[in-house]
Amino acid sequence: MATVELLFSALPEHVRTARLVAAAVARRAGVDEAVLDEVRLAVGEACTRAVGLHRMNEVDQPVLVRLTEEEKKFSIEVGDGIPAGPGASGGPAGAGADEADDESRMGLAVISGLVDDVEVTTGPDGGTIRMTWPVSPAAVHQV
Amino acid sequence: MDLSLSTETVGDRTVVRVGGEIDVYTAPKLREQLVELVNDGSYHLVVDMEGVDFLDSTGLGVLVGGLKRVRAHEGSLRLVCNQERILKIFRITGLTKVFPIHTSVDEAVSATD
């Protein structure tokens, strides 16, 4: 079971909230302070991508972020809610599509550049980006 | 935290000072500002990122979009940034090769190539 689960409406203004929550939970889990900026950025990128896919595909359900603290690692899963299928991964159409496409590609580039342990899966409930960071045991639950 | 924007003309350059967080929610405001400047004939832009606390790929996309627009008019877009955590994002996306990045507004304003 996830330590903290966050559900938010697929709106750009809520991505910041997801970043703040993820960074707070990661800090408490013992993720190194020096890495927290990366956690914040990576989860923001994954949520931005999920919000974009939800809106593009007119998915009403919220974006799901699962933050899971384990013995020696901390992981974040962000679901995009878009089941694999034709058109699901295509870029947005219409005005500004080039820029939106560039941004989406850069988002994934940032995640893969930042996080060593990234897994992207697709399933009947949609795609998921899972990112994992090591936890330094000494730092766990410091007050 | 929201995004703050202000502009100032220095010689033939327009300096855009950006503060706060540039993300999927706030980036459209920056895009609007850059588009407006180019539409008004400002083709040599200096974007001062020293007050930026957070930048994501949406912000990078807007900056790349701005660069494309000024280049269409043989203009330039220079960045001012000394913050390691922001510079890192430019490095991992390879954009340090695309944008001239300066350590001060003075340096960016007087740069010619």
Side-chain angles (χ1 to χ4, degrees):
Chain A
M1 185 192 154
T3 311
V4 172
E5 279 191 2
L6 175 68
L7 282 170
F8 67 92
S9 305
L11 296 169
E13 53 264 50
H14 300 316
V15 171
R16 179 171 189 260
T17 305
R19 287 200 305 265
L20 296 175
V21 171
V25 178
R27 178 182 283 122
R28 182 170 165 74
V31 173
D32 198 292
E33 284 289 328
V35 187
L36 287 178
D37 269 343
E38 295 174 10
V39 172
R40 197 176 289 121
L41 182 55
V43 76
E45 295 293 352
C47 289
T48 298
R49 179 178 172 275
V51 166
L53 285 170
H54 273 66
R55 290 162 72 90
M56 212 160 59
N57 292 280
E58 295 175 350
V59 175
D60 287 334
Q61 59 193 114
V63 175
L64 169 64
V65 183
R66 294 165 61 90
L67 310 164
T68 309
E69 182 183 338
E70 289 167 68
E71 202 178 333
K72 289 180 179 169
K73 60 184 184 177
F74 174 74
S75 60
I76 300 179
E77 286 175 308
V78 180
D80 62 24
I82 313 297
S89 60
D98 279 354
E99 268 179 35
D101 218 28
D102 283 350
E103 283 164 21
S104 167
R105 269 198 296 269
M106 262 193 282
L108 285 174
V110 169
I111 291 174
S112 52
L114 279 178
V115 189
D116 293 334
D117 189 348
V118 189
E119 200 182 342
V120 182
T121 54
T122 49
D125 297 329
T128 302
I129 294 183
R130 182 186 168 93
M131 303 168 284
T132 304
W133 289 268
V135 167
S136 49
V140 174
H141 298 158
Q142 269 183 2
V143 180
Chain B
M1 185 183 287
D2 215 342
L3 183 76
S4 67
L5 293 169
S6 66
T7 60
E8 183 193 349
T9 305
V10 181
D12 65 340
R13 312 287 165 99
T14 302
V15 180
V16 183
R17 285 202 166 80
V18 190
E21 301 189 342
I22 312 176
D23 72 353
V24 63
Y25 179 53
T26 61
K29 289 178 203 159
L30 177 61
R31 178 185 288 125
E32 273 172 34
Q33 173 78 82
L34 297 179
V35 168
E36 197 179 305
L37 285 169
V38 174
N39 287 346
D40 290 347
S42 301
Y43 304 140
H44 291 282
L45 306 179
V46 172
V47 180
D48 179 0
M49 317 263 298
E50 283 301 274
V52 173
D53 302 311
F54 181 87
L55 172 74
D56 73 1
S57 63
T58 324
L60 293 177
V62 168
L63 293 171
V64 170
L67 183 66
K68 282 184 187 170
R69 284 189 178 85
V70 293
R71 279 192 176 162
H73 298 276
E74 294 177 2
S76 61
L77 193 156
R78 298 171 182 282
L79 303 177
V80 177
C81 183
N82 292 296
Q83 300 185 69
E84 185 49 37
R85 63 179 175 174
I86 304 285
L87 290 170
K88 183 177 182 177
I89 305 163
F90 285 96
R91 270 201 298 274
I92 60 178
T93 50
L95 290 173
T96 44
K97 297 184 186 101
V98 175
F99 291 103
I101 301 178
H102 301 273
T103 55
S104 71
V105 171
D106 285 349
E107 185 188 297
V109 164
S110 55
T112 52
D113 55 15

